[in-house]
Amino acid sequence: MSATATVATTPEGIPVIILKEGSSRTYGKEALRINIAAVKAVEEALKTTYGPRGMDKMLVDSLGDITITNDGATILDKMDLQHPAAKLLVQIAKGQDEETADGTKTAVIFSGELVKKAEELLYKEIHPTIIVSGYKKAEEMAIKTIEEISTKVSVNDTEILRKVALTSLSSKAVAGAREHLADIVVKAITQVAELRGDKWYVDLDNVQIVKKHGGSINDTQIVYGIIVDKEVVHPGMPKRVENAKIALLDASLEVEKPELDAEIRINDPTQMKKFLDEEENILKEKVDKIAQTGANVVICQKGIDEVAQHYLAKKGILAVRRAKKSDLEKLARATGGRVVSNIDELTSQDLGYATLVEERKIGEDKMVFIEGAKNPKAVSILIRGGLERVVDETERALRDALGTVADVVRDGRAIAGGGAVETEIAKRLRKYAPQVGGKEQLAIEAYANALESLVMILIENGGFDPIELLVKLRSAHENETNKWHGINVYTGQIQDMWSLGVIEPAVVKMNAIKAATEASTLILRIDDLISAGKKSEGKTGEKKESEKGKEED
């Protein structure tokens, strides 16, 4: 039932206004129907991008900026959805992206399918609470199944990690260069991974991504160190330093100004010269202090005065100023140095080490490469590509691939893709449903159908007949040894996905299932939609003023 007038009546028939004027209220089945329609619309927009043979979307914002992508979180973010139920799906996608970096489309499409299947049950007069209860039981069974069938993977299984990266990259626009990018991803993650207690930990902040358009995607490279997107400050400084000892400064190489307004009275030209010489001496002392520690490279977060630049150049020290704080922190991890805030406290023990520091021209810009540290715990990836759009899409693809490989290293479990897991869970849910019985059994079977809908979308996007292949896939899974059988979307054959190298992190699938179930059950429990009236007081106020002016004229 829908109503714009939010009015209740007393037993005597006296109207009582509950909500503010301009508010609207939709309740009962009508509210549920509207929310379901909104979720279905978002899913329809996203499902053609699902899988390795999915299509891309072109999104144009209000300023005319173009984004071409098939990354689920990016599409939903740029679509600027207005409906509250649709916004829920955007939040799921963001949550999934932040948690596991991949599986955003799986979470959103699966959520849409669960809501679709629930709609069919609602038409059969099954109460939403029963559907929610059945979905929760099915979710528990699905997570338990993934935990049972997943395979243990360690950080040393680089071949499996490479296949995980390839699987993530194969559904992106950069699939043509996926072999090259997958190698870079695995090298980066295995380099920054560290063992804490008995668990592996990967901080993706330690992988710096620098973008420069020009060249091709295959020119993308990994640097065992850090790239500082700045140039050497003085032309007299060396542009290449081997066996570099690096001072990392969080202090400025400038004469500090007094905190309070100060006035210096000079009544003699010699005093003026003395004052300027003193400034120069302060800077010279700072540079001498740096040189005494044995440093031949200075990376400074703040400014470097021209006089200080001159003295640094005379001593053959390569210097970079105004480096980002995050770059300085990564440099400390990569070179083993320590960021120092007070130059007087700088010692030789604080210096970082790199075999090479060099200024190189990349595209139109000059950048300083710091590479070849003993055991860098921070690395850089320099992304190249012919178009700026290509570079942006490569960055999105790389971030997803880095995230999935990091997930496997952290969690230590992997599963096969290609619809194998969804089919296996659906099979087990159909056996489990009769044990639960009652109306909840129908909800559990609906959950199994929703999981298989993911496989059908995968097959459809590959250009094959979904019903025929799904029947074949179901019969293959009847054999207990065929748990990893799925769809090869390039050939339309049923194959063992693990041996084919289609491998995904178990935690991505588990998180997507949990997020989708939470979102769909949340939507199914809403039976009232109350919208506040739009604020337009400012505009009406302005209008009244202008009308008043006209009357006076």
Side-chain angles (χ1 to χ4, degrees):
M1 180 68 195
S2 177
T4 46
T6 44
V7 177
T9 49
T10 64
E12 295 79 21
I14 301 163
V16 180
I17 295 168
I18 299 169
L19 294 175
K20 221 193 287 185
E21 191 187 341
S23 300
S24 65
R25 181 183 177 206
T26 310
Y27 55 91
K29 285 183 180 171
E30 182 68 11
L32 202 49
R33 196 180 62 76
I34 288 170
N35 284 340
I36 288 171
V39 171
K40 277 159 68 176
V42 175
E43 188 220 344
E44 286 297 322
L46 214 58
K47 75 180 189 184
T48 55
T49 65
Y50 189 57
R53 301 193 81 173
M55 308 299 273
D56 291 354
K57 302 283 177 196
M58 180 187 273
L59 303 145
V60 186
D61 68 10
S62 55
L63 298 170
D65 285 340
I66 302 166
T67 306
I68 298 169
T69 183
N70 72 352
D71 179 69
T74 308
I75 293 168
L76 290 174
D77 188 40
K78 303 271 182 190
M79 272 167 80
D80 195 20
L81 299 165
Q82 291 303 308
H83 194 279
K87 281 182 177 173
L88 271 178
L89 294 187
V90 178
Q91 286 168 356
I92 297 174
K94 279 186 179 163
Q96 177 77 12
D97 200 40
E98 285 162 15
E99 191 67 27
T100 61
D102 209 359
T104 49
K105 283 178 287 194
T106 307
V108 173
I109 295 167
F110 184 41
S111 183
E113 289 298 328
L114 284 173
V115 167
K116 248 189 224 176
K117 303 297 178 209
E119 190 178 26
E120 292 166 18
L121 296 178
L122 291 167
Y123 284 133
K124 293 175 184 171
E125 297 296 323
I126 294 172
H127 197 275
T129 312
I130 292 166
I131 300 171
V132 168
S133 174
Y135 276 9
K136 287 286 181 195
K137 285 178 180 168
E139 180 201 355
E140 283 169 23
M141 187 68 181
I143 300 300
K144 191 176 154 195
T145 303
I146 293 173
E147 284 171 347
E148 272 178 32
I149 66 175
S150 61
T151 303
K152 288 265 181 284
V153 178
S154 87
V155 73
N156 301 317
D157 296 331
T158 49
E159 196 45 47
I160 289 179
L161 295 181
R162 191 171 174 276
K163 285 173 180 172
V164 170
L166 282 169
T167 304
S168 176
L169 290 164
S170 64
S171 65
K172 312 289 183 209
V174 296
R178 65 177 188 230
E179 300 276 339
H180 176 62
L181 295 177
D183 288 336
I184 288 173
V185 165
V186 174
K187 282 174 186 169
I189 294 296
T190 49
Q191 188 63 49
V192 301
E194 52 187 294
L195 193 60
R196 293 186 183 176
D198 59 346
K199 282 254 184 194
W200 281 95
Y201 177 78
V202 180
D203 185 352
L204 290 175
D205 286 344
N206 291 327
V207 180
Q208 180 198 32
I209 292 181
V210 180
K211 302 185 290 182
K212 274 284 173 275
H213 74 272
S216 76
I217 299 173
N218 284 316
D219 295 327
T220 299
Q221 65 185 87
I222 183 169
V223 174
Y224 288 102
I226 299 298
I227 301 164
V228 180
D229 197 355
K230 300 280 176 188
E231 56 185 280
V232 174
V233 291
H234 193 278
M237 287 177 179
K239 298 289 186 278
R240 178 186 169 93
V241 175
E242 289 180 16
N243 297 323
K245 288 177 180 153
I246 305 161
L248 304 170
L249 303 179
D250 184 13
S252 63
L253 274 169
E254 294 171 326
V255 175
E256 291 178 22
K257 306 278 185 289
E259 291 283 320
L260 302 164
D261 285 343
E263 191 178 305
I264 300 169
R265 299 199 173 195
I266 293 170
N267 43 25
D268 183 352
T270 55
Q271 283 181 316
M272 185 67 189
K273 187 174 186 316
K274 215 174 183 183
F275 176 74
L276 293 171
D277 287 349
E278 191 54 40
E279 267 199 358
E280 201 169 307
N281 285 336
I282 292 168
L283 292 168
K284 189 173 184 299
E285 275 174 28
K286 285 186 176 185
V287 172
D288 287 344
K289 179 77 182 102
I290 292 166
Q292 277 166 20
T293 62
N296 52 11
V297 174
V298 172
I299 310 287
C300 186
Q301 192 187 325
K302 292 176 180 155
I304 300 177
D305 192 280
E306 286 176 10
V307 176
Q309 290 176 27
H310 165 72
Y311 283 118
L312 286 165
K314 270 179 83 175
K315 291 190 181 291
I317 295 172
L318 183 155
V320 174
R321 66 175 166 183
R322 309 243 177 253
K324 284 190 227 156
K325 189 181 180 196
S326 58
D327 285 356
L328 223 59
E329 286 166 2
K330 289 188 186 84
L331 273 165
R333 286 185 63 78
T335 64
R338 191 171 75 87
V339 179
V340 176
S341 299
N342 187 347
I343 292 169
D344 293 333
E345 289 177 10
L346 184 70
T347 65
S348 55
Q349 276 81 35
D350 297 323
L351 302 180
Y353 175 80
T355 54
L356 179 67
V357 175
E358 185 179 25
E359 182 187 80
R360 295 175 198 159
K361 192 166 185 186
I362 305 289
E364 291 294 303
D365 304 313
K366 288 177 181 171
M367 299 163 125
V368 175
F369 285 67
I370 295 129
E371 55 188 59
K374 282 172 189 154
N375 183 24
K377 282 293 160 197
V379 297
S380 290
I381 297 171
L382 175 64
I383 299 175
R384 307 302 310 277
L387 280 169
E388 214 162 308
R389 313 264 177 271
V390 172
V391 175
D392 290 344
E393 184 61 3
T394 307
E395 183 197 10
R396 282 190 283 269
L398 268 178
R399 286 196 188 280
D400 280 6
L402 286 163
T404 52
V405 175
D407 288 335
V408 173
V409 170
R410 286 191 205 113
D411 184 58
R413 292 175 297 179
I415 53 171
V421 172
E422 289 88 341
T423 314
E424 185 65 23
I425 296 169
K427 178 190 87 173
R428 296 192 185 197
L429 284 174
R430 287 200 179 93
K431 286 179 183 170
Y432 168 64
Q435 295 169 26
V436 175
K439 288 180 181 175
E440 279 185 2
Q441 176 181 343
L442 296 172
I444 293 167
E445 283 167 358
Y447 197 96
N449 292 336
L451 274 167
E452 282 187 341
S453 294
L454 284 171
V455 187
M456 289 179 83
I457 293 165
L458 198 64
I459 299 166
E460 273 174 24
N461 289 347
F464 303 105
D465 180 5
I467 294 166
E468 183 195 334
L469 283 179
L470 191 62
V471 169
K472 283 184 185 174
L473 193 55
R474 275 185 188 170
S475 62
H477 275 261
E478 288 307 313
N479 183 340
E480 291 297 323
T481 58
N482 291 346
K483 66 175 182 179
W484 294 139
H485 274 55
I487 304 288
N488 181 340
V489 290
Y490 298 103
T491 62
Q493 302 295 312
I494 309 292
Q495 285 176 278
D496 186 314
M497 290 288 124
W498 190 275
S499 58
L500 206 64
V502 181
I503 303 171
E504 298 174 350
V507 71
V508 169
K509 195 70 78 182
M510 283 156 76
N511 207 72
I513 286 172
K514 285 176 190 170
T517 310
E518 276 174 21
S520 55
T521 53
L522 188 66
I523 286 160
L524 291 172
R525 293 175 71 92
I526 297 166
D527 76 334
D528 220 328
L529 218 166
I530 300 161
S531 304
K534 294 270 191 296
K535 278 190 178 179
S536 57
E537 287 170 22
K539 287 181 182 177
T540 53
E542 285 161 20
K543 192 178 171 189
K544 280 173 187 169
E545 283 292 325
S546 61
E547 282 171 5
K548 192 179 169 188
K550 280 177 189 172
E551 282 165 19
E552 284 170 1
D553 290 345

